[in-house]
Amino acid sequence: MLDYSEQNNWENDFGHRQSPIMLSTHDSQHFADYLPIHANEFYQLNTEIDDHTTIRLTGMGYATIFNRDFKFKQVHFHAPAEHIVDGKVNPIEIHLVHENEIGQTVVVAVFPTLGNANSELQDIINNFEEGNRHSVSLKLTNWISSLSTGFHYQGSLTTPPLTEGIEWLVIDNSKLTVSPKQVDWFIAQFGKNNRDCQPLNERNIQYYNK
């Protein structure tokens, strides 16, 4: 089981382009446009898994990201959020993982804001079976907007093996909301499961803001 209280001892053979990082709208390369991402219709979730540090759901779906075609692979959750934007720590961060035919991986990170409960997230919580994986039939309908602003950079997985070469899109204008009760449920179930921010190491960070 992954122990976030011992994350400084996680084995890491890379260390120069790691995620998450602290992001700044002021210190990034600016592009006057939306992030070039479009999720094609909804994402279908087929399997819900308790991996003991978060809920992970695998499924199907397609997205066009920077004019490349990607398949949606899985979604999982971190509470509190892992990336810090302009000094703000969000209550929860959703990672939607995509992969294309040549093995490139793009993780789309989304920060819901506190407000009304998210019905799709509540379905995920209600379907959760501790210690098990099981079949589900759930749809994510509006979790990625084609009018998204945010950051683009090269990083890594945020859990071991901390593999680098991962492309990140961190959306900062999500319209999703979650309730405080939903966030509290995740932390009560899994504990705080956010990796600490890692050194930037002079990476180029792009910020897209229409």
Side-chain angles (χ1 to χ4, degrees), residues 22 79-92 111 194 197:
M22 298 183 70
E82 299 198 297
H83 291 85
I84 297 175
V85 179
D86 289 337
K88 179 182 178 181
V89 179
N90 287 280
I92 192 168
F111 304 122
N194 60 309
C197 283

Side-chain angles (χ1 to χ4, degrees), residues 68-179:
R68 291 167 290 157
D69 294 329
F70 284 84
K71 290 183 179 180
F72 167 73
K73 304 297 289 187
Q74 53 115 326
V75 60
H76 61 269
F77 309 87
H78 296 271
E82 299 198 297
H83 291 85
I84 297 175
V85 179
D86 289 337
K88 179 182 178 181
V89 179
N90 287 280
I92 192 168
E93 182 171 333
I94 300 172
H95 290 170
L96 298 117
V97 183
H98 305 75
E99 188 175 290
N100 66 8
E101 291 183 350
I102 61 173
Q104 294 174 322
T105 298
V106 173
V107 182
V108 179
V110 178
F111 304 122
T113 56
L114 290 180
N116 293 328
N118 182 284
S119 60
E120 293 154 324
L121 180 60
Q122 193 59 48
D123 287 340
I124 290 169
I125 291 172
N126 293 343
N127 278 281
F128 177 70
E129 295 180 6
E130 188 167 357
N132 292 329
R133 77 164 57 207
H134 61 101
S135 297
V136 295
S137 181
L138 301 172
K139 295 176 182 178
L140 304 183
T141 55
N142 295 301
W143 284 28
I144 296 177
S145 168
S146 58
L147 303 179
S148 294
T149 64
F151 301 87
H152 176 233
Y153 80 97
Q154 296 292 327
S156 74
L157 300 178
T158 66
T159 56
L162 305 174
T163 306
E164 294 193 344
I166 306 299
E167 194 173 347
W168 282 88
L169 274 69
V170 181
I171 293 173
D172 69 353
N173 72 333
S174 174
K175 299 298 189 291
L176 295 180
T177 63
V178 296
S179 69

